[in-house]
C-alpha cells in the first residue's frame, strides 16, 4: 500500500459515509462491485481512471477531489 492509495481510500470512505451510502448502495449506483470499492477504501486496490471517474460521477464531484489538499 502506498500513501496515495491509503489517502484515496480514506477520501472515498468519507464521501460515502457523508452521503450515508452502504458499500452495496455505492456499488449499485457506480456500476462497480462492493468488494472492489471496499478494497479501494482499505488501500488494497488501485482504481483505474475509469473507475475513479464512475465514483466521482456518482458523488457529483471531480476526480481531483480524490487527490491533492484535503477539502
Amino acid at each position: 500500500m502506498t500513501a496515495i492509495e491509503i489517502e484515496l481510500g480514506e477520501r472515498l470512505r468519507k464521501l460515502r459515509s457523508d452521503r450515508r451510502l452502504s458499500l452495496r448502495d455505492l456499488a449499485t449506483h457506480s456500476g462497480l462491485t462492493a468488494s472492489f470499492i471496499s478494497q479501494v477504501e482499505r488501500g488494497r486496490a488501485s482504481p483505474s481512471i475509469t473507475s475513479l471517474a464512475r465514483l466521482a460521477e456518482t458523488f457529483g464531484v471531480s476526480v481531483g477531489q480524490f487527490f491533492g489538499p484535503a477539502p
Side-chain angles (χ1 to χ4, degrees), residues 21-43:
L21 292 172
S22 69
L23 283 169
R24 287 185 181 168
D25 290 338
L26 180 54
T28 298
H29 293 297
S30 67
L32 302 169
T33 67
S35 174
F36 176 70
I37 295 167
S38 175
Q39 289 175 2
V40 172
E41 285 186 355
R42 292 180 288 128

Side-chain angles (χ1 to χ4, degrees), residues 29-68:
H29 293 297
S30 67
L32 302 169
T33 67
S35 174
F36 176 70
I37 295 167
S38 175
Q39 289 175 2
V40 172
E41 285 186 355
R42 292 180 288 128
R44 304 212 183 265
S46 296
S48 67
I49 295 296
T50 302
S51 296
L52 280 177
R54 287 172 135 180
L55 291 166
E57 183 177 333
T58 300
F59 289 122
V61 300
S62 71
V63 171
Q65 185 84 23
F66 295 112
F67 304 99

Side-chain angles (χ1 to χ4, degrees), residues 3-38:
I4 291 171
E5 291 167 329
I6 292 168
E7 184 175 331
L8 186 143
E10 289 172 354
R11 289 180 185 212
L12 175 57
R13 181 176 285 134
K14 179 163 177 22
L15 281 168
R16 183 174 61 79
S17 176
D18 287 351
R19 287 164 174 80
R20 294 186 171 93
L21 292 172
S22 69
L23 283 169
R24 287 185 181 168
D25 290 338
L26 180 54
T28 298
H29 293 297
S30 67
L32 302 169
T33 67
S35 174
F36 176 70
I37 295 167
S38 175

